[in-house]
């Protein structure tokens, strides 16, 4: 993969950075609306952290990808380091703030496994892209796309949970 191959992705990553920042803002709005309820439930805190940090990951990756003249190997290392660091941070936060009885909306085991899978795709796909970039594969950047799709899904789903479902369910009790 050459510098011009990476440069061909410039507009794509520029858009990703903008969308990531917008979705992070949407999540903050949802968190603000439901903050008293979210603070009572460790599992919701963990989900909020994951939703924000997958968008943060996309922002870092997108900014790294549009740095002009950056060597392919350095970009690959940035993708790997970012992906692994944020995956570790999300998993550590989830251990500190596990699902509990107060975070019951979509808290069943099958939903937790589903969220883990989507979060893993969102965070670790760029690491795969980084390894393939370093190895010189032309198709390496395409492995960032699943991360973008999974991050978008997580962020929109969590924004819905925070702004609509949590308040709605709390009002019933």
């Amino acid at each position: 993969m050459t510098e011009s191959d990476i440069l061909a992705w410039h507009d794509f990553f520029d858009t990703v950075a903008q969308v990531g920042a917008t979705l992070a803002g949407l999540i903050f709005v949802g968190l603000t609306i439901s903050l008293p309820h979210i603070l009572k439930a460790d599992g919701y805190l963990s989900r909020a952290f994951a939703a924000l940090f997958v968008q943060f990951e996309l922002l870092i990756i997108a900014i790294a990808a549009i740095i002009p003249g950056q060597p392919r190997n350095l970009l690959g290392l940035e993708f790997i380091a970012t992906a692994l660091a944020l995956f570790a941070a999300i998993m550590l936060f989830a251990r500190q703030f596990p699902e509990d009885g107060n975070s019951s909306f979509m808290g069943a085991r099958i939903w937790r496994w589903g969220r883990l899978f989507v979060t893993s795709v969102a965070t670790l796909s760029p690491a795969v892209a980084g390894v393939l970039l370093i190895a010189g594969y032309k198709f390496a950047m395409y492995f960032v796309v699943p991360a973008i799709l999974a991050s978008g899904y997580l962020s929109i789903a969590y924004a819905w949970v925070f702004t609509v479902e949590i308040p709605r369910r709390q009002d019933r009790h």
Side-chain angles (χ1 to χ4, degrees), residues 86-157:
L86 289 172
F87 178 77
I90 290 169
M91 293 301 111
L92 286 171
F93 203 89
R95 278 187 75 118
Q96 288 295 103
F97 297 95
E99 294 289 333
D100 58 17
N102 294 324
S103 56
S104 60
F105 181 72
M106 297 182 81
R109 182 178 300 256
I110 188 75
W111 290 109
R112 288 194 308 263
W113 280 108
R115 283 195 305 274
L116 176 61
F117 174 76
V118 176
T119 300
S120 297
V121 170
T123 53
L124 296 176
S125 295
V128 174
V131 168
L132 295 173
L133 269 172
I134 292 168
Y137 288 99
K138 280 184 123 357
F139 60 85
M141 297 294 253
Y142 288 101
F143 278 85
V144 176
V145 174
I148 293 162
L149 297 173
S151 296
Y153 170 79
L154 278 176
S155 296
I156 290 169

Side-chain angles (χ1 to χ4, degrees), residues 19-35:
V19 169
T22 302
L23 285 173
L26 178 63
I27 294 163
F28 271 114
V29 169
L31 291 173
T32 302
I33 289 170
S34 299
L35 192 57

Side-chain angles (χ1 to χ4, degrees), residues 49-105:
F49 185 87
L52 287 169
F53 272 70
V54 294
Q55 292 309 317
F56 181 57
E57 177 190 35
L58 290 185
L59 187 61
I60 292 170
I61 286 171
I63 289 170
I66 61 176
I67 295 172
Q70 183 166 210
R72 156 181 65 83
N73 290 343
L74 180 57
L75 181 60
L77 287 173
E78 290 167 348
F79 280 12
I80 293 166
T82 300
L84 295 179
L86 289 172
F87 178 77
I90 290 169
M91 293 301 111
L92 286 171
F93 203 89
R95 278 187 75 118
Q96 288 295 103
F97 297 95
E99 294 289 333
D100 58 17
N102 294 324
S103 56
S104 60
F105 181 72

